[in-house]
Amino acid sequence: MTGRREVQASVKDERLVLQRREQMIAGAVRLFKEKGFHRTTTREIAKAAGFSIGTLYEYIRTKEDVLYLVCDHIYDTVRARLDHINLDVRTVEGLQSAIAHYFLIMDELQDEVLVMYQEVKSLTRDALPYVLQKEKNMVDMLQKMIQRFVSTHKLPLTEDGVHLLAHNMFVQGQMWAFRRWALRSTYTLTDYTKHQTEWLIAILLESKKGEVR
């Protein structure tokens, strides 16, 4: 993986750095959701975090540092939640359960996912590859889950097909967050999950009738 970007702090107490940055991240997520990264000022981030602008600059150097910390934190949080899902699925019911749990994570972290989706493009050139690699790693987790199911049922789905389906599954979970303004007027999370899961599983099972390329 591309190396983690070091965010410098003048404070040497690592516990305090972690605590202050958690406050900073929580405040920044709210602001980035409402105003976007570019329209949010560091003074506003400091206020939302509950401390002064001077204190803020003891833990970061630039506003871009805050965005990096936000994106890094969100990906780590999603990954940690994914680690608690049983992705070693062999049955349709197991696959349904895994997809439902993934969509639930996206629902519970919908503000964070929305910020991540909207603002990752604003990361600095040295930070972007590291953060995008984290997303790739999560897609790889879903790809391995699908491949286990495919192998168990001896489905003639190509490696490219499995790869693309993993990306579809990943984005469909995210879509609940970044298209919620349109989706919630028609679907509950349960309805949305049911429809998307049926579609994803249908693709897998339909591959029995002919190789999906």
Side-chain angles (χ1 to χ4, degrees), residues 79 87 133-148 163 166-167 170:
R79 174 61 188 264
L87 298 179
Q133 181 62 44
K134 285 195 165 188
E135 178 171 306
K136 181 180 181 298
N137 291 344
M138 288 188 282
V139 174
D140 288 346
M141 293 172 69
L142 298 180
Q143 182 172 339
K144 290 176 182 176
M145 176 187 72
I146 296 168
Q147 187 59 60
R148 290 189 193 101
H163 180 72
H167 277 280
F170 189 76

Side-chain angles (χ1 to χ4, degrees), residues 62-76:
T62 67
K63 189 173 72 167
E64 286 73 21
D65 284 344
V66 180
L67 178 61
Y68 170 75
L69 291 172
V70 165
C71 291
D72 193 38
H73 169 77
I74 292 171
Y75 277 113
D76 281 349

Side-chain angles (χ1 to χ4, degrees), residues 146-207:
I146 296 168
Q147 187 59 60
R148 290 189 193 101
F149 184 87
V150 167
S151 298
T152 297
H153 294 272
K154 296 182 173 57
L155 301 175
L157 197 64
T158 65
E159 184 178 345
D160 285 348
V162 171
H163 180 72
L164 185 57
L165 192 56
H167 277 280
N168 275 322
M169 186 182 297
F170 189 76
V171 172
Q172 284 167 6
Q174 290 183 329
M175 187 168 72
W176 180 248
F178 62 74
R179 293 287 298 177
R180 61 190 177 187
W181 61 271
L183 294 170
R184 284 189 180 277
S185 63
T186 305
Y187 307 103
T188 64
L189 175 62
T190 300
D191 293 334
Y192 178 79
T193 301
K194 178 177 180 293
H195 287 301
Q196 294 287 20
T197 303
E198 288 175 349
W199 180 79
L200 288 164
I201 291 177
I203 290 177
L204 285 167
L205 299 182
E206 278 293 315
S207 68

